[in-house]
mmCIF file of all heavy atoms in Angstrom:
data_model
loop_
_atom_site.group_PDB
_atom_site.id
_atom_site.type_symbol
_atom_site.label_atom_id
_atom_site.label_comp_id
_atom_site.label_asym_id
_atom_site.label_seq_id
_atom_site.Cartn_x
_atom_site.Cartn_y
_atom_site.Cartn_z
ATOM 1 N N VAL A 1 88.021 152.767 249.930
ATOM 2 C CA VAL A 1 87.567 151.444 250.528
ATOM 3 C C VAL A 1 86.987 151.764 251.910
ATOM 4 O O VAL A 1 85.811 151.214 252.182
ATOM 5 C CB VAL A 1 88.791 150.481 250.687
ATOM 6 C CG1 VAL A 1 88.465 149.293 251.426
ATOM 7 C CG2 VAL A 1 89.274 150.053 249.252
ATOM 8 N N ILE A 2 87.591 152.582 252.736
ATOM 9 C CA ILE A 2 87.019 152.903 254.096
ATOM 10 C C ILE A 2 85.694 153.580 253.974
ATOM 11 O O ILE A 2 84.739 153.233 254.619
ATOM 12 C CB ILE A 2 88.083 153.695 254.865
ATOM 13 C CG1 ILE A 2 89.300 152.852 255.098
ATOM 14 C CG2 ILE A 2 87.465 154.109 256.286
ATOM 15 C CD1 ILE A 2 90.422 153.686 255.793
ATOM 16 N N VAL A 3 85.592 154.563 253.013
ATOM 17 C CA VAL A 3 84.335 155.346 252.835
ATOM 18 C C VAL A 3 83.266 154.429 252.371
ATOM 19 O O VAL A 3 82.063 154.404 252.769
ATOM 20 C CB VAL A 3 84.588 156.431 252.006
ATOM 21 C CG1 VAL A 3 83.239 157.150 251.708
ATOM 22 C CG2 VAL A 3 85.445 157.542 252.705
ATOM 23 N N ALA A 4 83.592 153.508 251.410
ATOM 24 C CA ALA A 4 82.630 152.528 250.925
ATOM 25 C C ALA A 4 82.010 151.676 251.934
ATOM 26 O O ALA A 4 80.889 151.224 251.915
ATOM 27 C CB ALA A 4 83.259 151.698 249.796
ATOM 28 N N ILE A 5 82.877 151.294 252.972
ATOM 29 C CA ILE A 5 82.406 150.394 253.992
ATOM 30 C C ILE A 5 81.563 151.104 255.104
ATOM 31 O O ILE A 5 80.506 150.639 255.458
ATOM 32 C CB ILE A 5 83.659 149.709 254.696
ATOM 33 C CG1 ILE A 5 84.390 148.852 253.747
ATOM 34 C CG2 ILE A 5 83.254 148.951 255.969
ATOM 35 C CD1 ILE A 5 85.645 148.292 254.287
ATOM 36 N N LEU A 6 82.009 152.294 255.316
ATOM 37 C CA LEU A 6 81.362 153.039 256.551
ATOM 38 C C LEU A 6 80.302 154.002 256.062
ATOM 39 O O LEU A 6 79.386 154.455 256.847
ATOM 40 C CB LEU A 6 82.448 153.811 257.298
ATOM 41 C CG LEU A 6 83.575 152.948 257.986
ATOM 42 C CD1 LEU A 6 84.539 153.835 258.769
ATOM 43 C CD2 LEU A 6 82.992 151.979 258.904
ATOM 44 N N GLY A 7 80.435 154.400 254.809
ATOM 45 C CA GLY A 7 79.322 155.296 254.246
ATOM 46 C C GLY A 7 79.864 156.745 254.061
ATOM 47 O O GLY A 7 80.838 157.129 254.756
ATOM 48 N N PRO A 8 79.339 157.460 253.085
ATOM 49 C CA PRO A 8 79.864 158.766 252.700
ATOM 50 C C PRO A 8 79.340 159.897 253.619
ATOM 51 O O PRO A 8 78.323 160.525 253.374
ATOM 52 C CB PRO A 8 79.384 158.959 251.276
ATOM 53 C CG PRO A 8 78.075 158.156 251.220
ATOM 54 C CD PRO A 8 78.287 157.015 252.158
ATOM 55 N N THR A 9 79.858 160.037 254.774
ATOM 56 C CA THR A 9 79.570 161.255 255.615
ATOM 57 C C THR A 9 80.852 161.975 256.000
ATOM 58 O O THR A 9 81.975 161.471 255.725
ATOM 59 C CB THR A 9 78.886 160.772 256.861
ATOM 60 O OG1 THR A 9 79.748 159.871 257.655
ATOM 61 C CG2 THR A 9 77.538 159.896 256.554
ATOM 62 N N LEU A 10 80.698 163.098 256.661
ATOM 63 C CA LEU A 10 81.820 163.913 256.994
ATOM 64 C C LEU A 10 82.796 163.196 258.001
ATOM 65 O O LEU A 10 83.902 163.171 257.876
ATOM 66 C CB LEU A 10 81.361 165.295 257.554
ATOM 67 C CG LEU A 10 82.479 166.192 258.074
ATOM 68 C CD1 LEU A 10 83.522 166.520 257.008
ATOM 69 C CD2 LEU A 10 81.866 167.563 258.597
ATOM 70 N N HIS A 11 82.045 162.600 258.991
ATOM 71 C CA HIS A 11 82.848 161.866 260.015
ATOM 72 C C HIS A 11 83.620 160.637 259.480
ATOM 73 O O HIS A 11 84.748 160.396 259.851
ATOM 74 C CB HIS A 11 81.921 161.428 261.153
ATOM 75 C CG HIS A 11 81.347 162.548 261.963
ATOM 76 N ND1 HIS A 11 80.125 163.123 261.473
ATOM 77 C CD2 HIS A 11 81.624 163.255 263.004
ATOM 78 C CE1 HIS A 11 79.768 164.103 262.331
ATOM 79 N NE2 HIS A 11 80.779 164.225 263.284
ATOM 80 N N THR A 12 82.972 160.022 258.420
ATOM 81 C CA THR A 12 83.613 158.814 257.869
ATOM 82 C C THR A 12 84.779 159.260 257.055
ATOM 83 O O THR A 12 85.843 158.620 257.143
ATOM 84 C CB THR A 12 82.574 158.102 257.015
ATOM 85 O OG1 THR A 12 81.420 157.714 257.710
ATOM 86 C CG2 THR A 12 83.255 156.933 256.264
ATOM 87 N N VAL A 13 84.650 160.402 256.371
ATOM 88 C CA VAL A 13 85.800 160.925 255.597
ATOM 89 C C VAL A 13 86.950 161.360 256.521
ATOM 90 O O VAL A 13 88.149 161.030 256.192
ATOM 91 C CB VAL A 13 85.403 162.180 254.735
ATOM 92 C CG1 VAL A 13 86.539 162.850 254.128
ATOM 93 C CG2 VAL A 13 84.296 161.719 253.643
ATOM 94 N N MET A 14 86.635 161.981 257.638
ATOM 95 C CA MET A 14 87.723 162.251 258.537
ATOM 96 C C MET A 14 88.406 161.047 259.147
ATOM 97 O O MET A 14 89.599 161.034 259.173
ATOM 98 C CB MET A 14 87.032 163.041 259.690
ATOM 99 C CG MET A 14 86.698 164.507 259.416
ATOM 100 S SD MET A 14 88.117 165.595 259.119
ATOM 101 C CE MET A 14 88.763 165.566 260.801
ATOM 102 N N ILE A 15 87.647 160.065 259.458
ATOM 103 C CA ILE A 15 88.235 158.741 259.902
ATOM 104 C C ILE A 15 89.049 158.186 258.800
ATOM 105 O O ILE A 15 90.215 157.696 259.114
ATOM 106 C CB ILE A 15 87.126 157.786 260.351
ATOM 107 C CG1 ILE A 15 86.448 158.424 261.602
ATOM 108 C CG2 ILE A 15 87.671 156.450 260.763
ATOM 109 C CD1 ILE A 15 85.168 157.526 262.056
ATOM 110 N N ALA A 16 88.513 158.210 257.580
ATOM 111 C CA ALA A 16 89.226 157.536 256.510
ATOM 112 C C ALA A 16 90.606 158.261 256.274
ATOM 113 O O ALA A 16 91.673 157.584 256.155
ATOM 114 C CB ALA A 16 88.489 157.508 255.189
ATOM 115 N N ILE A 17 90.546 159.616 256.162
ATOM 116 C CA ILE A 17 91.766 160.318 255.831
ATOM 117 C C ILE A 17 92.870 160.239 256.965
ATOM 118 O O ILE A 17 93.977 159.892 256.793
ATOM 119 C CB ILE A 17 91.494 161.797 255.629
ATOM 120 C CG1 ILE A 17 90.547 162.004 254.393
ATOM 121 C CG2 ILE A 17 92.699 162.684 255.506
ATOM 122 C CD1 ILE A 17 91.131 161.516 253.153
ATOM 123 N N THR A 18 92.392 160.221 258.311
ATOM 124 C CA THR A 18 93.283 159.985 259.449
ATOM 125 C C THR A 18 93.946 158.602 259.396
ATOM 126 O O THR A 18 95.087 158.568 259.593
ATOM 127 C CB THR A 18 92.508 160.228 260.666
ATOM 128 O OG1 THR A 18 91.852 161.486 260.721
ATOM 129 C CG2 THR A 18 93.537 160.156 261.883
ATOM 130 N N LEU A 19 93.150 157.636 259.222
ATOM 131 C CA LEU A 19 93.713 156.200 259.091
ATOM 132 C C LEU A 19 94.660 156.091 257.943
ATOM 133 O O LEU A 19 95.659 155.287 258.055
ATOM 134 C CB LEU A 19 92.597 155.270 259.026
ATOM 135 C CG LEU A 19 91.696 155.070 260.241
ATOM 136 C CD1 LEU A 19 90.577 154.080 259.966
ATOM 137 C CD2 LEU A 19 92.388 154.682 261.473
ATOM 138 N N VAL A 20 94.469 156.761 256.876
ATOM 139 C CA VAL A 20 95.239 156.701 255.702
ATOM 140 C C VAL A 20 96.662 157.306 255.912
ATOM 141 O O VAL A 20 97.719 156.862 255.580
ATOM 142 C CB VAL A 20 94.618 157.245 254.497
ATOM 143 C CG1 VAL A 20 95.661 157.538 253.352
ATOM 144 C CG2 VAL A 20 93.522 156.322 253.962
ATOM 145 N N LEU A 21 96.656 158.457 256.750
ATOM 146 C CA LEU A 21 97.867 159.266 256.977
ATOM 147 C C LEU A 21 98.753 158.677 258.042
ATOM 148 O O LEU A 21 99.883 158.922 258.012
ATOM 149 C CB LEU A 21 97.478 160.698 257.222
ATOM 150 C CG LEU A 21 96.756 161.516 256.211
ATOM 151 C CD1 LEU A 21 96.415 162.891 256.730
ATOM 152 C CD2 LEU A 21 97.518 161.665 254.897
ATOM 153 N N ILE A 22 98.185 157.969 258.939
ATOM 154 C CA ILE A 22 98.812 157.448 260.162
ATOM 155 C C ILE A 22 100.068 156.541 259.645
ATOM 156 O O ILE A 22 101.247 156.773 260.088
ATOM 157 C CB ILE A 22 98.055 156.671 261.109
ATOM 158 C CG1 ILE A 22 97.150 157.802 261.866
ATOM 159 C CG2 ILE A 22 98.900 155.873 262.121
ATOM 160 C CD1 ILE A 22 96.130 157.095 262.789
ATOM 161 N N PRO A 23 99.897 155.680 258.736
ATOM 162 C CA PRO A 23 101.015 154.781 258.411
ATOM 163 C C PRO A 23 102.118 155.609 257.760
ATOM 164 O O PRO A 23 103.353 155.246 257.756
ATOM 165 C CB PRO A 23 100.488 153.824 257.355
ATOM 166 C CG PRO A 23 98.970 153.756 257.684
ATOM 167 C CD PRO A 23 98.571 155.060 258.175
ATOM 168 N N GLN A 24 101.859 156.693 257.067
ATOM 169 C CA GLN A 24 102.849 157.477 256.382
ATOM 170 C C GLN A 24 103.815 158.157 257.398
ATOM 171 O O GLN A 24 105.021 158.188 257.298
ATOM 172 C CB GLN A 24 102.125 158.653 255.502
ATOM 173 C CG GLN A 24 101.374 157.998 254.312
ATOM 174 C CD GLN A 24 100.645 159.065 253.503
ATOM 175 O OE1 GLN A 24 101.014 160.233 253.619
ATOM 176 N NE2 GLN A 24 99.767 158.669 252.612
ATOM 177 N N PHE A 25 103.135 158.643 258.485
ATOM 178 C CA PHE A 25 104.005 159.280 259.530
ATOM 179 C C PHE A 25 104.723 158.190 260.316
ATOM 180 O O PHE A 25 105.982 158.474 260.630
ATOM 181 C CB PHE A 25 103.049 159.995 260.597
ATOM 182 C CG PHE A 25 102.569 161.382 260.099
ATOM 183 C CD1 PHE A 25 101.314 161.589 259.578
ATOM 184 C CD2 PHE A 25 103.460 162.411 260.269
ATOM 185 C CE1 PHE A 25 100.965 162.878 259.138
ATOM 186 C CE2 PHE A 25 103.028 163.770 259.922
ATOM 187 C CZ PHE A 25 101.790 163.915 259.340
ATOM 188 N N ILE A 26 104.132 157.020 260.597
ATOM 189 C CA ILE A 26 104.949 155.935 261.148
ATOM 190 C C ILE A 26 106.100 155.563 260.343
ATOM 191 O O ILE A 26 107.219 155.425 260.917
ATOM 192 C CB ILE A 26 104.007 154.749 261.456
ATOM 193 C CG1 ILE A 26 102.848 155.141 262.423
ATOM 194 C CG2 ILE A 26 104.751 153.637 262.025
ATOM 195 C CD1 ILE A 26 101.854 153.961 262.567
ATOM 196 N N HIS A 27 105.937 155.507 259.119
ATOM 197 C CA HIS A 27 107.024 155.037 258.250
ATOM 198 C C HIS A 27 108.174 155.960 258.253
ATOM 199 O O HIS A 27 109.366 155.670 258.353
ATOM 200 C CB HIS A 27 106.451 154.692 256.818
ATOM 201 C CG HIS A 27 107.464 154.115 255.877
ATOM 202 N ND1 HIS A 27 108.273 154.803 255.040
ATOM 203 C CD2 HIS A 27 107.835 152.748 255.690
ATOM 204 C CE1 HIS A 27 109.084 154.017 254.331
ATOM 205 N NE2 HIS A 27 108.785 152.808 254.747
ATOM 206 N N SER A 28 107.823 157.284 258.009
ATOM 207 C CA SER A 28 108.947 158.301 257.843
ATOM 208 C C SER A 28 109.627 158.440 259.209
ATOM 209 O O SER A 28 110.864 158.545 259.181
ATOM 210 C CB SER A 28 108.323 159.618 257.370
ATOM 211 O OG SER A 28 107.285 160.111 258.326
ATOM 212 N N VAL A 29 108.933 158.447 260.304
ATOM 213 C CA VAL A 29 109.432 158.679 261.582
ATOM 214 C C VAL A 29 110.243 157.501 262.033
ATOM 215 O O VAL A 29 111.349 157.651 262.613
ATOM 216 C CB VAL A 29 108.448 159.076 262.644
ATOM 217 C CG1 VAL A 29 109.057 159.146 264.040
ATOM 218 C CG2 VAL A 29 107.811 160.445 262.331
ATOM 219 N N HIS A 30 109.780 156.358 261.734
ATOM 220 C CA HIS A 30 110.476 155.126 262.014
ATOM 221 C C HIS A 30 111.872 154.989 261.389
ATOM 222 O O HIS A 30 112.777 154.812 261.930
ATOM 223 C CB HIS A 30 109.611 153.928 261.643
ATOM 224 C CG HIS A 30 110.294 152.581 261.774
ATOM 225 N ND1 HIS A 30 110.931 152.058 260.616
ATOM 226 C CD2 HIS A 30 110.505 151.781 262.848
ATOM 227 C CE1 HIS A 30 111.541 150.848 261.042
ATOM 228 N NE2 HIS A 30 111.269 150.701 262.242
ATOM 229 N N ASN A 31 111.741 155.296 260.105
ATOM 230 C CA ASN A 31 113.082 155.300 259.284
ATOM 231 C C ASN A 31 114.027 156.308 259.829
ATOM 232 O O ASN A 31 115.215 156.121 259.920
ATOM 233 C CB ASN A 31 112.822 155.538 257.795
ATOM 234 C CG ASN A 31 112.089 154.410 257.268
ATOM 235 O OD1 ASN A 31 112.122 153.271 257.762
ATOM 236 N ND2 ASN A 31 111.487 154.556 256.025
ATOM 237 N N ALA A 32 113.485 157.576 260.160
ATOM 238 C CA ALA A 32 114.415 158.693 260.652
ATOM 239 C C ALA A 32 115.014 158.313 262.063
ATOM 240 O O ALA A 32 116.217 158.444 262.242
ATOM 241 C CB ALA A 32 113.626 159.937 260.826
ATOM 242 N N PHE A 33 114.256 157.677 262.926
ATOM 243 C CA PHE A 33 114.772 157.224 264.193
ATOM 244 C C PHE A 33 115.701 156.092 264.111
ATOM 245 O O PHE A 33 116.827 155.977 264.677
ATOM 246 C CB PHE A 33 113.626 156.797 265.190
ATOM 247 C CG PHE A 33 113.159 157.891 266.043
ATOM 248 C CD1 PHE A 33 112.205 158.813 265.527
ATOM 249 C CD2 PHE A 33 113.567 158.029 267.311
ATOM 250 C CE1 PHE A 33 111.753 159.836 266.417
ATOM 251 C CE2 PHE A 33 113.133 159.086 268.144
ATOM 252 C CZ PHE A 33 112.183 159.938 267.658
ATOM 253 N N TYR A 34 115.469 155.146 263.079
ATOM 254 C CA TYR A 34 116.306 154.003 262.824
ATOM 255 C C TYR A 34 117.737 154.504 262.388
ATOM 256 O O TYR A 34 118.709 153.968 262.739
ATOM 257 C CB TYR A 34 115.646 153.122 261.853
ATOM 258 C CG TYR A 34 116.464 151.873 261.656
ATOM 259 C CD1 TYR A 34 116.256 150.726 262.553
ATOM 260 C CD2 TYR A 34 117.314 151.698 260.584
ATOM 261 C CE1 TYR A 34 116.924 149.623 262.384
ATOM 262 C CE2 TYR A 34 118.034 150.501 260.442
ATOM 263 C CZ TYR A 34 117.795 149.448 261.272
ATOM 264 O OH TYR A 34 118.473 148.306 261.112
ATOM 265 N N THR A 35 117.721 155.630 261.509
ATOM 266 C CA THR A 35 119.005 156.099 261.036
ATOM 267 C C THR A 35 119.762 156.827 262.149
ATOM 268 O O THR A 35 121.014 156.742 262.203
ATOM 269 C CB THR A 35 118.704 157.002 259.844
ATOM 270 O OG1 THR A 35 118.011 156.313 258.857
ATOM 271 C CG2 THR A 35 119.976 157.510 259.230
ATOM 272 N N GLU A 36 119.033 157.610 262.930
ATOM 273 C CA GLU A 36 119.707 158.480 263.903
ATOM 274 C C GLU A 36 120.249 157.778 265.153
ATOM 275 O O GLU A 36 121.181 158.124 265.702
ATOM 276 C CB GLU A 36 118.728 159.634 264.350
ATOM 277 C CG GLU A 36 118.391 160.632 263.350
ATOM 278 C CD GLU A 36 119.501 161.455 262.961
ATOM 279 O OE1 GLU A 36 120.320 161.818 263.794
ATOM 280 O OE2 GLU A 36 119.523 161.926 261.763
ATOM 281 N N ARG A 37 119.603 156.639 265.419
ATOM 282 C CA ARG A 37 119.898 155.951 266.832
ATOM 283 C C ARG A 37 121.302 155.349 266.700
ATOM 284 O O ARG A 37 121.891 155.034 267.805
ATOM 285 C CB ARG A 37 118.936 154.863 267.057
ATOM 286 C CG ARG A 37 119.014 153.623 266.204
ATOM 287 C CD ARG A 37 117.836 152.688 266.625
ATOM 288 N NE ARG A 37 117.999 151.383 265.875
ATOM 289 C CZ ARG A 37 117.141 150.414 265.957
ATOM 290 N NH1 ARG A 37 116.097 150.544 266.730
ATOM 291 N NH2 ARG A 37 117.312 149.272 265.194
ATOM 292 N N SER A 38 121.881 155.072 265.513
ATOM 293 C CA SER A 38 123.224 154.572 265.463
ATOM 294 C C SER A 38 124.308 155.490 265.342
ATOM 295 O O SER A 38 125.537 155.174 265.128
ATOM 296 C CB SER A 38 123.313 153.545 264.246
ATOM 297 O OG SER A 38 123.028 154.253 263.063
ATOM 298 N N LYS A 39 123.957 156.817 265.369
ATOM 299 C CA LYS A 39 124.987 157.777 265.184
ATOM 300 C C LYS A 39 125.712 158.104 266.581
ATOM 301 O O LYS A 39 125.274 157.743 267.582
ATOM 302 C CB LYS A 39 124.343 159.173 264.746
ATOM 303 C CG LYS A 39 123.802 159.034 263.344
ATOM 304 C CD LYS A 39 123.351 160.419 262.800
ATOM 305 C CE LYS A 39 122.894 160.244 261.296
ATOM 306 N NZ LYS A 39 122.347 161.533 260.741
ATOM 307 N N GLU A 40 126.928 158.829 266.510
ATOM 308 C CA GLU A 40 127.761 158.909 267.645
ATOM 309 C C GLU A 40 127.117 159.704 268.719
ATOM 310 O O GLU A 40 127.331 159.326 269.964
ATOM 311 C CB GLU A 40 129.056 159.518 267.136
ATOM 312 C CG GLU A 40 129.790 158.648 266.197
ATOM 313 C CD GLU A 40 131.212 159.304 265.745
ATOM 314 O OE1 GLU A 40 131.352 160.408 266.231
ATOM 315 O OE2 GLU A 40 131.916 158.778 265.169
ATOM 316 N N TYR A 41 126.384 160.837 268.505
ATOM 317 C CA TYR A 41 125.876 161.609 269.583
ATOM 318 C C TYR A 41 124.770 160.872 270.360
ATOM 319 O O TYR A 41 124.613 161.041 271.537
ATOM 320 C CB TYR A 41 125.266 162.904 268.953
ATOM 321 C CG TYR A 41 123.991 162.752 268.229
ATOM 322 C CD1 TYR A 41 122.814 163.007 268.881
ATOM 323 C CD2 TYR A 41 123.962 162.479 266.898
ATOM 324 C CE1 TYR A 41 121.619 162.912 268.226
ATOM 325 C CE2 TYR A 41 122.720 162.415 266.267
ATOM 326 C CZ TYR A 41 121.643 162.508 266.902
ATOM 327 O OH TYR A 41 120.369 162.447 266.261
ATOM 328 N N VAL A 42 124.135 159.926 269.777
ATOM 329 C CA VAL A 42 123.080 159.050 270.341
ATOM 330 C C VAL A 42 123.764 158.056 271.383
ATOM 331 O O VAL A 42 123.391 157.839 272.381
ATOM 332 C CB VAL A 42 122.138 158.367 269.445
ATOM 333 C CG1 VAL A 42 121.083 157.563 270.162
ATOM 334 C CG2 VAL A 42 121.375 159.415 268.575
ATOM 335 N N ILE A 43 124.830 157.437 270.759
ATOM 336 C CA ILE A 43 125.555 156.406 271.539
ATOM 337 C C ILE A 43 126.267 157.148 272.665
ATOM 338 O O ILE A 43 126.192 156.543 273.769
ATOM 339 C CB ILE A 43 126.624 155.808 270.597
ATOM 340 C CG1 ILE A 43 125.904 154.999 269.419
ATOM 341 C CG2 ILE A 43 127.535 154.825 271.401
ATOM 342 C CD1 ILE A 43 126.912 154.429 268.487
ATOM 343 N N ALA A 44 126.820 158.312 272.524
ATOM 344 C CA ALA A 44 127.398 159.038 273.569
ATOM 345 C C ALA A 44 126.357 159.323 274.657
ATOM 346 O O ALA A 44 126.582 159.304 275.952
ATOM 347 C CB ALA A 44 128.010 160.346 273.162
ATOM 348 N N SER A 45 125.136 159.753 274.298
ATOM 349 C CA SER A 45 124.059 159.930 275.212
ATOM 350 C C SER A 45 123.711 158.720 276.012
ATOM 351 O O SER A 45 123.413 158.840 277.244
ATOM 352 C CB SER A 45 122.832 160.578 274.593
ATOM 353 O OG SER A 45 123.120 161.852 273.868
ATOM 354 N N LYS A 46 123.703 157.583 275.340
ATOM 355 C CA LYS A 46 123.392 156.316 276.079
ATOM 356 C C LYS A 46 124.488 156.055 277.023
ATOM 357 O O LYS A 46 124.150 155.633 278.206
ATOM 358 C CB LYS A 46 123.291 155.168 274.916
ATOM 359 C CG LYS A 46 122.026 155.294 274.110
ATOM 360 C CD LYS A 46 121.981 154.091 273.195
ATOM 361 C CE LYS A 46 120.826 154.157 272.327
ATOM 362 N NZ LYS A 46 120.704 152.995 271.364
ATOM 363 N N LEU A 47 125.697 156.204 276.687
ATOM 364 C CA LEU A 47 126.804 156.029 277.613
ATOM 365 C C LEU A 47 126.745 156.950 278.814
ATOM 366 O O LEU A 47 127.323 156.524 279.894
ATOM 367 C CB LEU A 47 128.114 156.154 276.884
ATOM 368 C CG LEU A 47 128.452 155.152 275.840
ATOM 369 C CD1 LEU A 47 129.808 155.406 275.075
ATOM 370 C CD2 LEU A 47 128.416 153.685 276.421
ATOM 371 N N ASN A 48 126.187 158.176 278.588
ATOM 372 C CA ASN A 48 126.037 159.007 279.810
ATOM 373 C C ASN A 48 124.970 158.663 280.645
ATOM 374 O O ASN A 48 124.702 159.443 281.781
ATOM 375 C CB ASN A 48 125.896 160.441 279.289
ATOM 376 C CG ASN A 48 127.236 161.034 278.691
ATOM 377 O OD1 ASN A 48 128.323 160.600 279.063
ATOM 378 N ND2 ASN A 48 127.114 161.995 277.713
#
């Protein structure tokens, strides 16, 4: 969809691939942080 809108060039492909991958990193890191922040070692660090 992104390449069809912007045109088939190398820069467009790079932009499209980067934009497609960003949500995947956000989702995985967000879930990992959400799981870890409620653990005891994080709570102890906050209390310190």
Side-chain angles (χ1 to χ4, degrees):
V1 173
I2 296 174
V3 171
I5 295 174
L6 300 179
T9 62
L10 176 60
H11 296 89
T12 301
V13 172
M14 285 290 293
I15 294 173
I17 297 300
T18 304
L19 293 178
V20 166
L21 296 179
I22 288 175
Q24 299 178 10
F25 279 101
I26 296 176
H27 187 267
S28 60
V29 173
H30 170 265
N31 291 341
F33 267 85
Y34 186 83
T35 302
E36 293 291 325
R37 73 183 186 184
S38 59
K39 292 186 177 180
E40 295 179 354
Y41 74 95
V42 179
I43 297 175
S45 299
K46 290 181 179 179
L47 294 176
N48 287 333

